[in-house]
Amino acid sequence: MKILTFFSLFSTFLSANSINVEENAGQFFSSGHTNNWAVLVCTSRFWFNYRHVANTLSVYRSVKRLGIPDSHIVLMLADDMACNHRNPKPATVFSHKNMELNVYGDDVEVDYRGYEVTVENFLRVLTGRLPPSTPRSKRLLSDDRSNILIYLTGHGGNGFLKFQDSEEISNVELADAFEQMWQKRRYNELLFIIDTCQGASMYERFYSPNLMALASSQVGEDSLSHQPDLAIGVHLMDRYTFYLLEFLEDIHPASKANMKDLFKVCPKSQCVSTPGHRTDLFLRDPGSALITDFFGSVRKVEITMETINLTDLIKEAEQKNIHTTANLQFPPLHLSSFLPYLTPYPQKPKQKDWHPPDGFILGLWTLILLVFFKTYGIKHLKHIF
Amino acid sequence: MAITMPLSSIIHKQPQKQRDKWPSNDFQEELVIRPLHSGDIYASFQFRTLWETDFMRGNKVSHYRLFPKSLGQVISKFSVRELHISFTQGYWRTMQWGQPFLPSPPGAELWVWFQDSVTDVDGTWKELTNVLSGIFCASLNFIDSTNTVQPSASFKPLGIGNVTDHSFLRYATLPREIVCTENLTPWKKLLPCGSKAGLAVLLKSEKLFHSSFHSQAVHIRPVCQDWQCKTTSWELRQTLNVVFDLHTPGQGKREWSLFKMFSRTLTEACPLASSSKIYIDITDNPQGEQFEVSPATPLLSQAMVLGDRRTFSVYDLTQQITFGTVRSLNLLIRWKSSEDMLRPLLHGERYVAGYGLQTGEIHTLMYNNHPYRSFPVLLLDSVPWYLRLYIHTLTVASKGKDNKPSYIHYQPSKDRVRPHLLEMLVQLPPNSVTEVTVQFERALLKWTEYTPDPNHGFYVGSSVISSLVPSIVAMDTNSTREQPLFSSFFPCKEESSYFVRVYTEPLLVNLPTPDFSMPYNVICLTCTVVAVGYGSLYNLLTRSFQIDEPSPGLAKRIANIIRKMRGVPPL
């Protein structure tokens, strides 16, 4: 008797579970993004800018640890610090003093290095306009379901970021590049983090949807560096990225921490500058966006011993559609049916130049001619007509 | 020689079967350790994969086992016959360390022989460099026509094939290229066992780059499978040479161990390897008076290295007894005394002379240290276009007297298109120094052509000196007998001489640098002048003056109102 009740309970539990699993399988296909990319750029050259390379490498390390593979990371380092002849410990880049953490590691792949890190190459990587012989590891092969993390660090000012001490990228160019990415459907959601002086000026001009931006300091403030190491002789990290790294070390691939926690990283007491963020272009609530949506590469895996009948799900969906649209067949797909999706979000209206109303110029010239002939006599008119 | 006799009696004889055919897919790894006379230690890794397949004539190969797929696809797509690429950090000091097993210039060097089926060699070369820059994470995409040359006599193919058409050969160096962990990582990923098992376990970047010299290379070429050369197979050799400095670890003791060098010991051989061996050069130590090797091994081997017969202790990692009871192998070499080493026979140096930023002179010195034999050397010089060589000032002098080269090939440079190429065949008299001098003038580049740090200077690649050097000992030209892998570095066609290539230092030359703030200054100044000049002129032409009465005071205003009421003219 007991066995029978137990068995009946067990079977109901199993059937309930299988329905749950089928539901989950349905949800499986309805998530927002399917892959993650990261573009990490260090723009400074020379040994005393060691900290910028350490910044970029610490974000690289976190991103790799949380699951994004090397093939999906475009790492650009403008100078080589690890094997620099001034480095007392070659093949290492430290982020903490007393050489606690080597962020360079043993398994690093740098895609753009040295003189290759230029504004032109950076914009070409973002927009995808690269020469045909560029290898895959140097391309950003994202699609419209990719979440991209872009991290920039270096020396900057109000409205610009300096590349390699010889050129700069302005916030307008960056905003236009992101708009090009949006129009070419190269991202689903984009997180932009910048750690430079006056970093907030770089995200002021963004106007494309689905962008979230974080900066280490406001306009008029300088971002400061953290701590020097006396053995190496330079400052090792910038404050904002140092506390960002400490925050990310606590995140694991299954973590449920969201973006609001990221905004709290490095308050003014620790950072001396005021970090800023911008979420008005982001369509979801930042509290619902997980950190691992951008920093990790989460693969949704549901382990089940049941067999799931996928064809049933499709038939169910079809039947639902039939009931609602009262169509027995699906109509053939036309481009016109996609037009509503091509511009789903209202964009900021572009500022048009003012033109005078139509016909104004014509009227003006008629007036001038009439006045001319009134003054000098009607006989000149016949030279014209 | 009497001392070597008892040694030869205990030489472990490999089964003397003549290897008729190597297996179709074979991987071998070995490590050669050579203590140098200055106390430093030279370690040379070689990983060789042989694969009997046909990449030529566009055959589609799809099943890869030991041979890495990325390189196989590169060979078949770009119709490559031979590919040699090396990344080096540091300069090989020939006078202190002797000759290396496989020489390489500082920076990156790439030379490729294409197959005859290629129609556009320059276009294929450009695509190949881009693809290789992605595979090895290096900036090889900076190789273009301004630093590529077509040598006409140096760099003959190392594999099979009687090719004489040098239009299929391309050679380029990037002396500025940095080598770091990001180049080692993809290099390690090409190995069949990766860096997980076998000798590759020792390749830890923190120790490898903390050394005086580090060079990693990939060599691909077709080789004969057997003595009659009926079938060919493709050979991929990945080599890594490193020289560890005695004083770097901080200890004063002259003692080396695998753990001290690589921070690792060995526990097993790579399961995919058919042979996995370590050789320690004990030629200078026949009775153990110079240094002591532990754990001792009865296995010995002899091989011809650079015209000299050398003896090696062999540790076979595929045998379990090598690892002993602790299941790990940590070789220890303890020095007792040292003596001077033999001077290498061929040595080269190069430097820039002169002062100022307009002209200069390049001096190349070639030393022949053989007491009575003279031999010819082929000197290859590739100088960038912005150093304009005056070839009419080229002089070659040995022992003060003029030494006319028997073959000169010179291709002048074209601004921004191609570099200078100078190849000369010079006979070096015995026990002498030959000096080659040529004057040059520095060009002023366009301001956008300068690198972001132009005050560092511009690099000129190393000169290559290739020669057949007479050897002291007669050598065996039979190449198919069972031999250590490293003896294939020293191919000898004749018994009395061996092939040697020496690289000189790269040069660092300062070019006249403009003041990069001038465009900004010019814009500011011009705008100011135009604004002041035009503004003044405009004002002169259009400004008119009007007399403006000051408004009267309060009392006056009231008085004027009263006067107006009275009908009297105002004040």
Side-chain angles (χ1 to χ4, degrees), chain B residues 15 76 110 131 146 166 219 223 242 354 394 396 419 462 488 509 541 560:
Chain B
S76 47
L110 170 66
V131 165
T146 59
H166 279 253
H219 301 277
V223 292
V242 60
L394 176 69
V396 183
S462 314
S488 57
V509 169
L541 292 176
N560 276 339

Side-chain angles (χ1 to χ4, degrees), chain B residues 552-565:
Chain B
L554 186 61
K556 255 200 175 164
R557 261 194 273 151
I558 295 174
N560 276 339
I561 292 168
I562 298 171
R563 286 172 88 107
K564 211 168 36 177
M565 288 197 309

Side-chain angles (χ1 to χ4, degrees), chain A residues 45-46 70 80 82-83 88 90-92 102 104-110 113 115-116 133 135 137-138 164 166, chain B residues 89 130 133-134 137-139 141-142 176-183 185 189 204-206 209-210 451-453:
Chain A
R45 175 162 274 277
F46 306 122
D70 268 314
D80 172 57
C83 288
T92 57
N102 174 17
Y104 195 55
D106 215 15
D107 188 26
V108 59
E109 286 186 17
V110 181
R113 58 186 203 156
Y115 298 130
E116 290 179 292
S133 54
S137 57
K138 288 187 167 174
Q164 298 223 37
S166 65
Chain B
Q89 178 206 58
N130 275 318
S133 86
C137 285
S139 340
N141 46 328
F142 284 129
R176 185 87 200 258
E177 193 66 19
I178 304 153
V179 185
C180 209
T181 312
E182 64 248 21
N183 304 111
T185 310
K189 287 186 182 162
K204 288 291 153 203
S205 57
E206 281 188 19
F209 289 103
H210 202 37
T451 54
D453 53 352

Side-chain angles (χ1 to χ4, degrees), chain B residues 18-24 52 225-227 231:
Chain B
Q18 286 274 2
R19 282 244 184 161
D20 300 316
K21 206 170 183 331
W22 295 93
S24 65
E52 189 184 332
Q225 280 274 67
D226 50 2
W227 181 236
T231 45

